[in-house]
Amino acid sequence: MKALIRVTGAVQGVGYRPFVAELASKYALSGEVKNCGGIVEIIAEGPEDTVKSFAKELEVSYPFGSIVINVSLETMNECEPEGHKSFSGFRIVQSTRFDQEGSLPVFPPDIGICDDCLSEMLNSDDRRYRYPLISCVSCGPRYSILKNLPYDRENITMDIYDMCPECSAEYLKGRRRHAQTISCHSCGPQMIFKTTSIDFGFMNPKNGSSDHVKDIKISSKEDAVRDAIKILRDGGIIGLKGISGYQLVALPYNESVVQRLRDIKGREKKPFAIMFENIYSITDYCCVNEEEEKLLNQSSRPIVLLDKVPVKCFASNVCGISNQIGAFLPSSGIHVLLTKELGPLIVTSGNLSGHPMIVSDEEFEDSFADKIDGILYYKRDILRPLDDSVLQIVKTGDDYVNRFVRRSRGYVPLPIFLNRSLKEKVLYIAFGADLKNTFSIGYGDKIISSQYFGDMDELGIQKVAEKELKEMLTIFGTERLDISKTVVLCDMHPGYVSTTRAKDFYESLEGTKELLQLQHHHAHIGSVMAENDLKECIGIAFDGTGFGTDNTIWGSEILLCEDGKFQRMDHLRPVPIVGQDEAMKNAGILATCFMIDSGLDPEEVLGNQLAVSVTNANSNLAEDYTKAALLTADDLNLIKAALSNNINTYMNSGMGRLFDAVSFILGFGQYNSYEGECAIALQNAAEEYIKECDALGKEKTGEFLNLTCIENQWDTRELIKDITERAKVQDKRELSYAFHMTIAKAALDSCIKIRDKKGITNVCLSGGVFANRLLVTKLYELLTENGFMVYLNRFLPTNDGGISVGQIYLQDLRDLEEV
């Protein structure tokens, strides 16, 4: 029997062809295997039973890092397909550009260093001993160095390096058979360290002025690694060219070193992630359960948010107010060598905060050479920036759920696999939202979401996103697809950069096309529906901001979602807010607006808190980042006047803004130097209260705060009054816990009301506020106890990073409904 076997999935860049060749030899089959764009095509010849058994094993057996979606078998005539000839043995042949199947191909992400490569690199008898860029068919860079499919040496940035005789021999057999990134000390890219030292005591002989003289020293290979380690050990900061982009590296123990790193990046208080040598060193600083350990050890090597061990910590300004450490394991050989010598390290993206991660050697040197103590790099291009992915594991009932904060390296460009196909011959391109932007493309049974880019108000982010969209459309071969219409999707917000970009892109298209805008929070829920193949649900979208159909700012929606459409059922009563962007950061402005809306006098409520703020404001300690957060009596009068005269005010019903206001009123958070800082402080207080109750065997409060629903609106006026009154006599941590429980109970009551009316029991939770693990777990418990089936984002971020997928899924539901 002669058969054509096609394998679809993530089957390129993971040693799949060598795996097939080895398996075919085991079955004594003749034939060939090759990459055809995004699939693997196999010609297998032998006894019929043997060929079919071979195909069956391909369904269940595959190499590390691969994903097999489908294995199809088709009997061939001896002369088909044209060009294939019978021969003895089994061979790996040259790849072809694209298969003819009308589907988006699947390609693996960058893969963290595997155990075999790690063992070789640390073995003094191995020829790759301490080779920092070691890789094989099972690990190493993939998407970050890919020019085009199929995945062959000439289509990745390793094409500039010729293999040495030893690597050439290994390329034909063993675990590096057809490993496209194969290299070693002799023939691959090597580490280079460029040190810049500055002598402040030099007098310029030309003009007599004091000058900074740069003494540049360059070392390579083992000397480069050794020199970089010395600089770091002495308290320096270096730039490191990682696998998917540049990083900044420093030791985490000295506050002045950490503060210098913050100054270099322009990063005020947002916590830094820590890279550890191994799981055992992580447990010295963090609590790690079994599920978290599995996630840390995955080939994607994500940052995992872990609870701190109180008795051991780093410099206080590494993590700030966070009770967690973003911990991760080395993703490459150079990371292993650094952490093995130095222990835990701050390893953060090599960029200014809010700007794109840098991949260019020249750009990084221009941006940082005069600010840091050296650059450790190698000469091989990185084509696209991929930040570290960030996840948190949340326990919901008896289950542990992986929750993405950021989805990028190690996961992109793996698609969301749908249980049905999108509308036939329609290509969907979604531009997402402005914060934590991603774009997505959808066709057939897959939606491929881009890596995390950042916030679109920065021009550099816009340029990277535009470049990446163009390249993804090319790499994944959309020009070969049978497309009758291209549908471009974006947010409803008229001021979003992503909306403008979508409109410009739409205008550039030829052929049949359509431009559609979807409501922000509906798209949040759509992302959960896409992951779980749902056509209807109750959606709870708790978020900071999103433009609503009534031209106000939403963010607290209970939505009835059916067939790609929605009805807004319940939400917070809109409150007039002053200050636009500044109010999103300054929780004091929000608290003042909520108090005035509730009929309270902010100056009377704040009392001593305001007096302390004035004192701090007069201290001129800019490094404390307090001055912008604080309110004086004059500030309060300005806010009152603006509200009274409707100057620079807007109506807002965002749940995130309520969390900020309550955090300020209770004295936990003043200013969001990074997104969610005040809400994190509020969550911390509630969790401290829970821990104390558990430790003392004390019953937690069963009281709910006063939050009534009037004509489908939760009235926050009585809630704010209740909080301010109780705060005079009650433990504020207990009030924080009661606040979380009150919000969860209000959402439950709304869901019960909708279920009684419509009979729907599926509930989807999404939106930035659901990064709050306490709110998620408590709401999950209440809903499941009352008979609801609860769905969360597991493969996409619950924040705005998942919106572009939701846009595609919802619009497709609408398109199918109209057929």
Side-chain angles (χ1 to χ4, degrees), residues 498-770:
S498 56
T499 300
T500 301
R501 287 185 58 243
K503 291 178 178 178
D504 290 344
F505 181 83
Y506 169 79
E507 292 297 333
S508 71
L509 291 175
E510 299 178 355
T512 306
K513 57 186 180 180
E514 190 172 9
L515 174 68
L516 298 164
Q517 296 178 257
L518 284 82
Q519 203 281 320
H520 186 93
H521 301 108
H522 189 208
H524 266 304
I525 301 304
S527 70
V528 187
M529 296 173 71
E531 291 186 29
N532 296 281
D533 193 33
L534 300 176
K535 291 188 177 180
E536 63 177 23
C537 71
I538 300 168
I540 305 178
F542 287 172
D543 200 22
T545 31
F547 195 75
T549 55
D550 59 359
N551 296 330
T552 68
I553 300 301
W554 291 4
S556 57
E557 277 58 66
I558 307 292
L559 303 176
L560 174 60
C561 303
E562 298 176 293
D563 299 320
K565 301 174 183 177
F566 76 92
Q567 290 178 256
R568 192 186 190 203
M569 307 301 283
D570 292 343
H571 56 89
L572 290 175
R573 175 182 170 274
V575 173
I577 300 295
V578 174
Q580 297 286 358
D581 291 342
E582 180 58 24
M584 301 304 101
K585 297 179 180 179
N586 194 328
I589 294 175
L590 293 166
T592 301
C593 293
F594 272 92
M595 286 187 282
I596 291 173
D597 182 65
S598 302
L600 299 172
D601 183 346
E603 195 163 1
E604 180 181 327
V605 172
L606 294 175
N608 291 334
Q609 187 179 344
L610 181 64
V612 170
S613 298
V614 173
T615 301
N616 286 344
N618 291 333
S619 70
N620 295 319
L621 295 177
E623 63 272 25
D624 290 336
Y625 307 105
T626 56
K627 65 181 188 302
L630 307 171
L631 296 175
T632 66
D634 289 342
D635 293 329
L636 295 181
N637 289 331
L638 286 172
I639 294 171
K640 289 177 183 177
L643 290 170
S644 297
N645 296 285
N646 196 28
I647 299 172
N648 193 27
T649 64
Y650 62 99
M651 301 304 292
N652 187 302
S653 57
M655 186 63 74
R657 305 291 76 84
L658 177 61
F659 269 73
D660 287 344
V662 172
S663 183
F664 185 92
I665 292 169
L666 292 178
F668 297 123
Q670 289 184 317
Y671 191 79
N672 290 310
S673 65
Y674 58 90
E675 188 180 15
E677 184 177 356
C678 291
I680 289 170
L682 188 67
Q683 175 190 321
N684 288 347
E687 291 183 335
E688 286 174 14
Y689 168 74
I690 294 170
K691 288 179 182 177
E692 183 177 291
C693 288
D694 291 343
L696 299 174
K698 174 184 170 184
E699 189 73 23
K700 291 182 280 291
T701 181
E703 288 187 77
F704 294 104
L705 299 170
N706 193 350
L707 181 63
T708 55
C709 191
I710 303 172
E711 295 182 353
N712 298 327
Q713 295 185 5
W714 296 311
D715 194 338
T716 56
R717 290 173 294 190
E718 293 305 316
L719 174 71
I720 296 297
K721 289 179 183 177
D722 199 10
I723 289 173
T724 55
E725 191 62 30
R726 292 195 194 189
K728 298 174 183 177
V729 295
Q730 197 169 344
D731 184 342
K732 292 181 175 61
R733 298 172 305 160
E734 182 180 11
L735 284 176
S736 176
Y737 174 78
F739 171 73
H740 282 80
M741 293 302 296
T742 299
I743 297 300
K745 178 64 165 53
L748 169 67
D749 291 343
S750 293
C751 290
I752 291 174
K753 182 171 61 176
I754 297 171
R755 180 178 63 186
D756 291 346
K757 182 177 179 180
K758 299 291 293 187
I760 297 176
T761 58
N762 292 330
V763 179
C764 295
L765 313 183
S766 192
V769 172
F770 283 121

Side-chain angles (χ1 to χ4, degrees), residues 247-462:
Q247 299 168 315
L248 291 167
V249 183
L251 288 171
Y253 305 106
N254 187 294
E255 289 196 8
S256 63
V257 172
V258 177
Q259 187 55 54
R260 181 185 167 211
L261 179 59
R262 290 194 177 281
D263 293 341
I264 288 170
K265 277 185 65 73
R267 181 170 179 160
E268 294 182 4
K269 295 183 180 180
K270 188 176 181 180
F272 283 124
I274 304 292
M275 180 178 285
F276 295 83
E277 179 191 353
N278 53 44
I279 197 71
Y280 306 108
S281 60
I282 293 179
T283 57
D284 287 340
Y285 293 87
C286 307
C287 302
V288 185
N289 63 36
E290 185 178 344
E291 296 301 318
E292 289 165 339
E293 183 174 343
K294 288 179 184 176
L295 185 55
L296 286 162
N297 281 308
Q298 280 187 0
S299 63
S300 50
R301 294 294 194 272
I303 295 171
V304 181
L305 301 181
L306 304 171
D307 288 338
K308 295 177 183 175
V309 173
V311 295
K312 197 167 184 180
C313 59
F314 301 112
S316 62
N317 53 348
V318 170
C319 298
I321 67 167
S322 177
N323 288 333
Q324 296 185 303
I325 292 175
F328 61 136
L329 295 175
S331 58
S332 69
I334 186 58
H335 290 130
V336 172
L337 295 177
L338 293 179
T339 54
K340 195 167 186 63
E341 289 286 338
L342 298 164
L345 289 169
I346 296 173
V347 180
T348 186
S349 56
N351 60 338
L352 296 175
S353 288
H355 291 245
M357 191 178 191
I358 296 174
V359 297
S360 161
D361 300 338
E362 294 77 16
E363 183 182 351
F364 186 82
E365 184 166 359
D366 289 345
S367 300
F368 289 101
D370 60 344
K371 300 180 178 70
I372 59 178
D373 304 301
I375 304 173
L376 186 60
Y377 69 107
Y378 53 86
K379 294 182 178 179
R380 186 198 66 213
D381 287 343
I382 299 171
L383 296 181
R384 54 192 52 85
L386 293 162
D387 279 290
D388 296 309
S389 295
V390 183
L391 291 98
Q392 181 177 36
I393 288 185
V394 175
K395 193 173 189 299
T396 54
D398 296 327
D399 191 18
Y400 287 93
V401 179
N402 292 355
R403 317 235 33 235
F404 276 94
V405 177
R406 184 167 70 205
R407 185 177 182 270
S408 198
R409 181 187 55 76
Y411 297 94
V412 174
L414 291 177
I416 299 298
F417 298 104
L418 304 174
N419 290 330
R420 60 173 179 82
S421 289
L422 299 168
K423 189 174 181 181
E424 189 177 3
K425 297 184 180 181
V426 174
L427 174 66
Y428 295 95
I429 302 175
F431 281 74
D434 267 20
L435 299 182
K436 299 176 176 59
N437 179 260
T438 66
F439 64 78
S440 293
I441 61 174
Y443 187 88
D445 60 351
K446 304 178 194 73
I447 300 175
I448 301 176
S449 189
S450 74
Q451 69 269 43
Y452 160 93
F453 294 116
D455 298 348
M456 296 298 288
D457 58 355
E458 209 287 311
L459 181 60
I461 299 288
Q462 297 171 32

